[in-house]
Amino acid sequence: MLTASSAPSAQAREAMELLNAEASKLNIWLRTQANAPAQPPWFRDTRVEARGQIAAGRVGAAQVKPLPHLWQWRQISPYLDRIAEIARGADVSPIEFAERQQFLLTNPGLGGRLQVTSTIRCAVSIYNPGDVAPVHIHSPNASRTILSEGGGYTTIDGERCRAARGDLILTPNGTWHDHGNDGTEPVIWIDVLDFPLMEFLDCVWLDEAFPGQTQGNSPAQPVTRGPCYSHRLYGQGGLAPRFVPHQRGFGLGTTPMFHYRGADIREALDGLRREDGDPYEGIALRFVNPTTGASLFPTLDYGAQLLRAGEATRFKRETASTLYIVIAGEGATEVGGQRFDWRANDIFVVPSFAWRRHISENAGDAVLYSVSDIPLLDKIGQYRAQGRLPDDTVAELAP
Ligand SMILES: [Fe+2]
């Protein structure tokens, strides 16, 4: 412990900082302060309004921390039309000048990196009629949440999933997949990947050399499964087929169910609306691997929740981070003392350690989809959650 006499004087610290500026050219950093972690100790009850900024002090100049943030659909969506317009007028196929017609969301706290949290990447994609993304395979786990009413497909492991609004379509790591739009209207969806985590672990790989015959101008895998294959195999809760292996592709610990329909998700939520629900989440459902009950991916947990008209949840915080997509309704989420008003198609992120609660408008229900890195935090023995009780005391929710 530092005593008054051993504490560095301001003058000495200033001299060290100057020396640091010079030394940085050699890619070294002279320690001037104790490491400044991004988070306060978990067991200290941080105030609801704490903004989740990096603690005082620093560890090198490049230390970053995700911030809570809302991307409003009315602000970002015009860029999709502009991308699509350029693609329509181009003299080469879009795939030749931009691998995808999409934009990626960047968290303002992460210095321009292509990620919304430490583990999650999020992109918004548009596919014009006739657009095709060639068949490929990679190590990151990915999903798309469909915003358009209809149109577009993703083929995964020989199963063609036809998309509609609110659908969740999964491309687990190690599965061959391709996308396209064979309809007459542009199709828009939101891609979510654990790419930043894989990148951090130096575990990203991708391959486009599909083994076997591909079809069409832009290589697509042949459709080898019947329509609604995932749904026919696993679509009845509590029943799993005995005559197929539940391993698809060569990813490990991933779900064999690739397609959850928006209409089914909404029906399930509505069917539970008269239950009490969870005081911190409302009527919340978890997407699970139907054969194990585990998360869909080893890294990411997916959820859907109904907030009934006028419902306000209690404050909760977790050591995991969560990305939300607003599927229906209007409302607000308070995170670390900031209020984010949202409506359909908006996307927002709640970083780890920040207190948050959701409030839906009095006028109607709201539906949020979420993706968190809870399974990852859980596996490394770091998942914790707390909730605030009505008397403002704090309850341990997990572990
Ligand atoms: Fe992909």
Side-chain angles (χ1 to χ4, degrees), residues 229-248:
Y229 183 70
S230 270
H231 202 265
R232 285 186 290 113
L233 282 180
Y234 301 109
Q236 295 295 324
L239 293 172
R242 285 184 144 161
F243 53 89
V244 288
H246 300 309
Q247 171 79 26
R248 302 184 69 182

Side-chain angles (χ1 to χ4, degrees), residues 1-309:
M1 202 173 148
L2 290 175
T3 61
S5 60
S6 66
S9 71
Q11 208 178 9
R13 178 164 286 169
E14 200 179 327
M16 284 285 277
E17 292 294 354
L18 279 173
L19 200 56
N20 232 343
E22 187 187 317
S24 65
K25 295 174 199 128
L26 299 174
N27 292 306
I28 59 172
W29 186 76
L30 315 176
R31 177 175 287 200
T32 52
Q33 304 178 28
N35 287 9
Q39 311 292 2
W42 176 259
F43 50 82
R44 296 213 190 285
D45 174 26
T46 57
R47 296 172 306 148
V48 163
E49 63 273 17
R51 291 240 173 159
Q53 300 288 1
I54 295 172
R58 65 187 179 106
V59 182
Q63 191 185 4
V64 292
K65 174 176 166 49
L67 294 174
H69 192 73
L70 169 78
W71 291 266
Q72 289 182 320
W73 187 248
R74 65 176 177 81
Q75 287 187 328
I76 61 177
S77 61
Y79 287 91
L80 282 178
D81 300 328
R82 291 163 77 170
I83 296 170
E85 194 55 46
I86 291 170
R88 268 194 293 274
D91 53 359
V92 293
S93 83
I95 215 82
E96 289 174 47
F97 67 85
E99 197 188 354
R100 293 281 193 281
Q101 292 171 58
Q102 64 177 203
F103 54 75
L104 287 89
L105 306 185
T106 57
N107 186 303
L110 295 179
R113 293 187 201 169
L114 302 177
Q115 55 197 86
V116 292
T117 71
S118 300
T119 54
I120 298 173
R121 170 181 282 187
C122 180
V124 183
S125 299
I126 185 165
Y127 282 71
N128 280 319
D131 282 355
V132 174
V135 60
H136 63 284
I137 188 170
H138 45 68
S139 55
N141 294 288
S143 66
R144 48 217 46 76
T145 303
I146 314 301
L147 297 186
S148 299
E149 288 307 321
Y153 62 84
T154 295
T155 308
I156 317 123
D157 183 36
E159 174 179 352
R160 178 157 290 192
C161 302
R162 297 217 150 269
R165 180 166 174 87
D167 285 11
L168 178 68
I169 297 178
L170 305 162
T171 49
N173 89 75
T175 54
W176 288 97
H177 57 280
D178 49 271
H179 319 285
N181 179 4
D182 54 359
T184 55
E185 297 291 323
V187 172
I188 293 168
W189 63 60
I190 296 174
D191 304 278
V192 176
L193 305 91
D194 57 11
F195 200 100
L197 175 68
M198 295 301 159
E199 205 165 41
F200 175 74
L201 298 172
D202 200 13
C203 190
V204 174
W205 54 259
L206 180 143
D207 191 55
E208 293 180 328
F210 180 76
Q213 290 288 101
T214 55
Q215 297 181 333
N217 301 333
S218 186
Q221 65 184 300
V223 176
T224 57
R225 319 270 193 196
C228 309
Y229 183 70
S230 270
H231 202 265
R232 285 186 290 113
L233 282 180
Y234 301 109
Q236 295 295 324
L239 293 172
R242 285 184 144 161
F243 53 89
V244 288
H246 300 309
Q247 171 79 26
R248 302 184 69 182
F250 62 84
L252 301 174
T254 54
T255 180
M257 169 102 167
F258 293 163
H259 189 185
Y260 291 84
R261 297 172 182 162
D264 294 341
I265 299 164
R266 187 63 195 253
E267 190 183 329
L269 289 171
D270 283 338
L272 295 167
R273 62 177 306 116
R274 297 199 192 289
E275 302 298 322
D276 291 343
D278 183 289
Y280 304 96
E281 308 284 1
I283 300 295
L285 295 173
R286 219 181 132 222
F287 295 85
V288 294
N289 178 329
T291 65
T292 62
S295 54
L296 299 183
F297 301 142
T299 49
L300 300 177
D301 202 32
Y302 286 75
Q305 63 199 104
L306 169 71
L307 300 168
R308 293 154 290 194

Side-chain angles (χ1 to χ4, degrees), residues 279-347:
Y280 304 96
E281 308 284 1
I283 300 295
L285 295 173
R286 219 181 132 222
F287 295 85
V288 294
N289 178 329
T291 65
T292 62
S295 54
L296 299 183
F297 301 142
T299 49
L300 300 177
D301 202 32
Y302 286 75
Q305 63 199 104
L306 169 71
L307 300 168
R308 293 154 290 194
E311 185 166 5
T313 68
R314 287 187 203 152
F315 279 102
K316 179 180 178 179
R317 69 178 188 134
E318 300 169 284
T319 52
S321 306
T322 308
L323 172 81
Y324 290 90
I325 299 169
V326 183
I327 294 296
E330 291 182 29
T333 296
E334 295 172 1
V335 191
Q338 289 176 275
R339 181 186 165 102
F340 297 93
D341 291 295
W342 41 253
R343 57 198 313 172
N345 296 353
D346 286 356
I347 303 167

